[in-house]
Amino acid sequence: MPTESIMVRVVREAGNLTSLQASERFVSDLQEVRRITGSLRELGHRIVLTAGTFDLIHVGHARYVMRAKQHGDVLIVGVDDDEKARNRKGQNRPVVPLDERMEMLAHMRYVDLIVVKAITQEKWQLIKVIRPDVLIAVEGTYSSEEVTALGEFCGEVVILPRQAETSTSAKAR
């Protein structure tokens, strides 16, 4: 399905994005993400953004996206590409390749759209493009200075505690 059709479906289904097929939840182009979020905002929807590696999906990930979605109407999840995941988490990561991590997220009912965060993107590029009403992060992701600086691009930054004792990093070790 062409990207334009996906945008039309996303906007039309904005009240019920869970009706989209898993493959329709992936948005590969940042300019398309900008157009979609702009259209959703015009319809009065509150945009929530979170991001991470989401390797070896576990209950903490599910609880995290559920809590994130509670802060708005549309939850967009940025997923680190494999190279970025290796850079952040180590040479043995990710355990699960990007396409499978994205597909697992697409099957979570709280996740509306998924965008790849490539290692080649500038710092906070996805945040700057989406300009979310709410940015959700896990404890330790940003310093207090960074949270203040992010205020330029976000309506609000919400820091959530880890949602489970389970940790992909611990499991991978």
Side-chain angles (χ1 to χ4, degrees):
M1 184 176 279
T3 305
E4 288 179 344
S5 296
I6 291 171
M7 180 180 163
V8 169
R9 289 236 17 231
V10 165
V11 172
R12 187 177 70 236
E13 301 290 335
N16 184 24
L17 289 172
T18 57
S19 69
L20 297 176
Q21 296 298 313
S23 62
E24 293 175 307
R25 294 169 190 254
F26 309 132
V27 183
S28 58
D29 177 53
L30 290 181
Q31 294 314 310
E32 186 68 10
V33 171
R34 185 187 314 267
R35 285 189 291 275
I36 289 170
T37 55
S39 295
L40 290 169
R41 269 198 191 86
E42 286 177 15
L43 293 171
H45 293 286
R46 188 168 162 90
I47 308 295
V48 180
L49 173 65
T50 194
T53 302
F54 297 95
D55 200 7
L56 289 176
I57 299 286
H58 55 74
V59 70
H61 292 123
R63 291 172 182 164
Y64 180 78
V65 297
M66 179 190 72
R67 295 266 321 267
K69 177 69 179 234
Q70 292 171 347
H71 291 271
D73 305 307
V74 176
L75 176 61
I76 301 172
V77 178
V79 182
D80 297 340
D81 70 8
D82 292 343
E83 190 176 353
K84 185 173 181 114
R86 265 189 298 285
N87 192 48
R88 289 183 60 223
K89 305 282 187 174
Q91 284 306 307
N92 295 332
R93 301 285 297 280
V95 174
V96 178
L98 175 64
D99 59 338
E100 291 180 22
R101 291 183 282 130
M102 290 175 52
E103 186 174 344
M104 286 301 299
L105 283 165
H107 290 290
M108 290 186 175
R109 69 180 179 169
Y110 300 104
V111 176
D112 295 307
L113 298 172
I114 301 161
V115 183
V116 175
K117 285 184 60 186
I119 195 165
T120 56
Q121 292 175 354
E122 72 177 53
K123 182 177 181 176
W124 299 349
Q125 185 172 5
L126 186 59
I127 296 167
K128 292 173 183 176
V129 166
I130 293 175
R131 301 184 80 81
D133 297 296
V134 183
L135 175 66
I136 305 289
V138 72
E139 290 174 322
T141 302
Y142 301 112
S143 68
S144 58
E145 294 81 15
E146 288 174 314
V147 169
T148 300
L150 283 163
E152 180 181 343
F153 312 109
C154 309
E156 177 183 7
V157 179
V158 174
I159 307 298
L160 296 178
R162 297 205 177 272
Q163 299 296 304
E165 290 183 36
T166 302
S167 152
T168 303
S169 295
K171 284 184 173 208
R173 279 192 297 273

